[in-house]
Amino acid sequence: MEQKKDNVDVFLCHNGADKDWVRELGEQIESETFDGSANGRTLRVFFDEWDIDVGENVVLRLTAALTASRYVAVIISPEMLAAPWPAFEWTHIVAEDPTNRRGRIIPIFLRDYSAATKTHAELPAPFKALNWIDFRRPKDFKRSFQKLVRKIRNQPPDRGRRRPPIAS
């Protein structure tokens, strides 16, 4: 079987408990372009249900996609932190770059509490030191999404607005 050649902007590392939200996030990301223009190259995500076909070797496919992806967005929730498949995915990247010097990991905090398991998210060491994007409040989705797309586009963080000088 021939391995697929991927040009993936962001790999979405998540747990099944968050699948619906992550699917919508992936759809929104793929509705954007790399340069923000109407005719630019559309952003591409790796999302397991879209990119792993029936009969494919899951481990080989995940490994190839993790290697090919420019970024790995880790969707943090208590269920994700307790699940083996997402741990396989994010530890693959952490093993290559424990302090995230290359900046490939984009931590996305989705939920810090699970009503289903009655547990709180306890961040593992690799995520404690990283600045993350906060998606925990649905009303802040647009602002958080803009931060995510800015990062995927390799743009610097937004600065505050320019004000008239008062000391000169």
Side-chain angles (χ1 to χ4, degrees), residues 101-117:
R101 282 182 197 233
R102 289 184 272 166
R104 289 187 63 210
I105 297 173
I106 303 173
I108 294 177
F109 216 133
L110 177 59
R111 287 182 299 106
D112 49 10
Y113 180 73
S114 168
T117 62

Side-chain angles (χ1 to χ4, degrees), residues 157-163:
D158 289 337
R159 300 204 60 83
R161 62 188 163 102
R162 188 113 178 156
R163 297 173 180 243

Side-chain angles (χ1 to χ4, degrees), residues 143-158:
R143 186 176 74 225
S144 298
F145 183 76
Q146 288 170 336
K147 285 182 183 179
L148 174 60
V149 170
R150 178 202 52 76
K151 179 67 176 172
I152 296 169
R153 289 177 176 159
N154 297 320
Q155 296 171 334
D158 289 337

Side-chain angles (χ1 to χ4, degrees), residues 8-9 34 41 68-72 104 151-154:
V8 177
D9 293 298
F34 185 79
R41 173 183 73 78
S69 298
R70 292 177 38 245
Y71 294 103
V72 176
R104 289 187 63 210
K151 179 67 176 172
I152 296 169
R153 289 177 176 159
N154 297 320

Side-chain angles (χ1 to χ4, degrees), residues 54-72:
V54 173
E56 281 191 278
N57 182 311
V58 174
V59 174
L60 291 177
R61 189 70 183 106
L62 290 173
T63 302
L66 285 162
T67 301
S69 298
R70 292 177 38 245
Y71 294 103
V72 176

Side-chain angles (χ1 to χ4, degrees), residues 95-137:
E96 292 177 349
D97 185 12
T99 60
N100 201 34
R101 282 182 197 233
R102 289 184 272 166
R104 289 187 63 210
I105 297 173
I106 303 173
I108 294 177
F109 216 133
L110 177 59
R111 287 182 299 106
D112 49 10
Y113 180 73
S114 168
T117 62
K118 295 183 178 24
T119 57
H120 289 274
E122 295 292 330
L123 293 177
F127 300 109
K128 286 183 178 182
L130 300 180
N131 189 11
W132 36 269
I133 300 173
D134 193 348
F135 276 92
R136 292 177 294 176
R137 295 183 345 183

Side-chain angles (χ1 to χ4, degrees), residues 22-69:
V22 175
R23 183 183 307 106
E24 288 184 24
L25 179 68
E27 289 170 350
Q28 192 62 56
I29 292 169
E30 289 199 344
S31 299
E32 304 289 336
T33 59
F34 185 79
D35 63 3
S37 71
N39 298 321
R41 173 183 73 78
T42 55
L43 294 177
R44 179 149 182 260
V45 303
F46 181 91
F47 181 58
D48 58 352
E49 69 180 34
W50 300 339
D51 294 301
I52 302 176
D53 204 354
V54 173
E56 281 191 278
N57 182 311
V58 174
V59 174
L60 291 177
R61 189 70 183 106
L62 290 173
T63 302
L66 285 162
T67 301
S69 298

